[in-house]
Amino acid sequence: DAKTTQPNSMESNEEEPVHLPCNHSTISGTDYIHWYRQLPSQGPEYVIHGLTSNVNNRMASLAIAEDRKSSTLILHRATLRDAAVYYCIGTNAGKSTFGDGTTLTVKP
Amino acid sequence: KAGVTQTPRYLIKTRGQQVTLSCSPISGHRSVSWYQQTPGQGLQFLFEYFSETQRNKGNFPGRFSGRQFSNSRSEMNVSTLELGDSALYLCASSPSGTAKLEAFFGQGTRLTVV
């Protein structure tokens, strides 16, 4: 299983970019890197995922290191609604191993 | 399109009892995964079902079991409940369970064992 390591917490100011790092040094060649976020009392919500190339969608960007041992989730302009626990996951065929996640606090 | 529906949302059971939780995936999704979330252990993978077959299994005792029906709805069962089974149980559905696609989570069932 791909084990991931993330900082416990990070803070950001509203309207500023946020870079959330993740180390996944044990990831296999076929594991995708997924990011989810979870608000209190809700299930996790999909954010973005990728395999080798950097990815962009309407929510965020994902920068994957060339050796795939780390990745960074980029929120281009943090809003108060982005405050959540962000999980970086190594995923292979329906089995996801969640780490402890990063609690993002966004200050107005 | 309706999301993933989990029932019930809240449940209180007594030690030694058994419990069945239900998950209705998004229409057309054939893969359903179950997770246990506790403050101490975080989100832990229980098992994944695809086309009525258990395809992956986490490291949980045999008291935890599940099944999937032909309409892709899934149930998980916990027998002989222990206090430590108190947790938020989440299910996630995806079209095929391949890591190429995202999964969609329900809001979970909050189980309290007293």
Side-chain angles (χ1 to χ4, degrees):
Chain A
D1 294 351
K3 299 267 190 289
T4 61
T5 305
Q6 300 175 252
N8 286 335
S9 62
M10 290 186 66
E11 280 189 356
S12 171
N13 293 317
E14 200 176 7
E15 303 287 317
E16 290 187 356
V18 183
H19 290 232
L20 298 166
C22 178
N23 286 323
H24 30 77
S25 57
T26 61
I27 198 169
S28 77
T30 55
D31 282 348
Y32 278 73
I33 299 154
H34 284 233
W35 284 80
Y36 287 80
R37 68 182 185 184
Q38 187 174 25
L39 298 168
S41 302
Q42 293 189 25
E45 174 192 29
Y46 168 80
V47 178
I48 199 167
H49 75 288
L51 184 62
T52 55
S53 305
N54 295 344
V55 184
N56 300 293
N57 67 19
R58 63 174 180 81
M59 287 181 73
S61 295
L62 176 60
I64 301 172
E66 199 169 327
D67 62 6
R68 293 195 358 110
K69 293 188 185 303
S70 66
S71 63
T72 302
L73 176 70
I74 303 163
L75 305 179
H76 297 286
R77 290 180 66 193
T79 69
L80 297 179
R81 287 182 295 180
D82 290 324
V85 179
Y86 285 78
Y87 294 99
C88 159
I89 305 149
T91 298
N92 195 326
K95 180 176 181 179
S96 296
T97 304
F98 282 75
D100 293 332
T102 296
T103 299
L104 175 65
T105 302
V106 180
K107 296 184 287 185
Chain B
K1 203 175 191 181
V4 178
T5 304
Q6 291 188 246
T7 56
R9 289 292 312 278
Y10 302 92
L11 204 50
I12 300 175
K13 288 286 189 178
T14 306
R15 268 182 306 175
Q17 286 187 312
Q18 74 165 14
V19 68
T20 299
L21 311 181
S22 178
C23 173
S24 293
I26 291 172
S27 177
H29 286 193
R30 294 165 64 192
S31 168
V32 174
S33 298
W34 288 89
Y35 295 85
Q36 180 195 64
Q37 186 171 31
T38 59
Q41 299 294 323
L43 266 157
Q44 293 189 287
F45 173 77
L46 280 155
F47 28 66
E48 184 233 357
Y49 285 86
F50 178 78
S51 292
E52 302 178 65
T53 301
Q54 187 180 87
R55 190 163 62 173
N56 287 290
K57 190 176 189 305
N59 298 320
F60 278 81
R63 300 186 297 107
F64 292 81
S65 63
R67 58 179 176 167
Q68 187 179 36
F69 302 95
S70 58
N71 62 357
S72 293
R73 189 178 70 85
S74 178
E75 289 181 346
M76 67 162 282
N77 184 278
V78 188
S79 62
T80 320
L81 283 166
E82 300 175 0
L83 294 179
D85 297 332
S86 295
L88 180 67
Y89 289 87
L90 293 157
C91 83
S93 81
S94 73
S96 62
T98 172
K100 294 180 184 178
L101 300 172
E102 65 266 37
F104 297 85
F105 283 81
Q107 292 205 301
T109 294
R110 172 76 62 187
L111 172 65
T112 302
V113 182
V114 298

